[in-house]
Amino acid sequence: MPALARMLITDEQFASCRNTVMDANPDMAEEMAGRIVEEGLKFVAACSRIPGVGLAPSRIVDEGWHALILHTALYANLCQRLGGTFVHHTPGYDPTNYDPPILDRTREKISALGWEADPQLWGPPSEETLVSVAAKCQHAPECTIVITPKPKPGGVV
């Protein structure tokens, strides 16, 4: 069993990201904010370590990803350590264009890394979610996150 995804960053960094989620969502419990950040870490790890596949976070997990991104030095270092490829955020919001295979594929890639995606936080967009978040991104097919591996010297991918 791999270490918890939250161990990808220090306890201090984790707490700071969790606080960022709570600042954006004042009524959110600390435990829930921590779960959201941990799922954000799993998402970034999947994007970094399994490039070339279109992935996207759920709306709830996107909130955790946003918190990581706002800690720019932490985030750049995390991406470098995970795979050397910066995982860029391509915002988009079109709840009518939700594509379930995106989240299915992302959860599968997280599982391939040895983690379980929190099923309560990886659901489809709906009016009745586990928790309401400030993030308004809903990544549809045209704004999935596809990481292209960096070319190796000599142009070999």
Side-chain angles (χ1 to χ4, degrees):
M1 179 67 102
L4 296 174
R6 69 174 287 161
M7 297 185 75
L8 292 170
I9 57 178
T10 68
D11 288 343
E12 182 179 295
Q13 291 170 327
F14 186 86
S16 184
C17 290
R18 182 184 59 217
N19 289 342
T20 297
V21 170
M22 291 172 18
D23 287 346
N25 302 277
D27 295 331
M28 186 176 291
E30 184 176 298
E31 184 269 339
M32 177 57 69
R35 286 173 60 191
I36 290 170
V37 171
E38 183 153 4
E39 295 306 305
L41 286 164
K42 292 175 187 176
F43 172 71
V44 174
C47 289
S48 293
R49 292 182 176 166
I50 307 172
V53 181
L55 303 178
S58 68
R59 280 212 37 217
I60 295 172
V61 174
D62 199 49
E63 185 75 29
W65 187 24
H66 288 185
L68 291 164
I69 291 169
L70 288 173
H71 292 76
T72 58
L74 175 159
Y75 186 71
N77 180 272
L78 175 67
C79 290
Q80 182 64 39
R81 285 185 295 111
L82 288 171
T85 303
F86 192 85
V87 181
H88 290 276
H89 184 280
T90 306
Y93 182 69
D94 183 357
T96 65
N97 199 16
Y98 167 65
D99 184 20
I102 293 171
L103 294 185
D104 293 341
R105 188 169 50 246
T106 304
R107 286 189 301 261
E108 287 169 10
K109 299 307 176 189
I110 289 169
S111 292
L113 295 176
W115 291 311
E116 179 182 349
D118 185 327
Q120 293 184 314
L121 301 184
W122 280 95
S126 74
E127 293 299 316
E128 296 183 27
T129 60
L130 175 67
V131 61
S132 179
V133 293
K136 295 297 179 204
C137 297
Q138 176 58 54
H139 297 276
E142 67 279 0
C143 62
T144 57
I145 311 306
V146 179
I147 303 301
T148 305
K150 289 194 300 191
K152 294 184 169 80
V156 179
V157 177

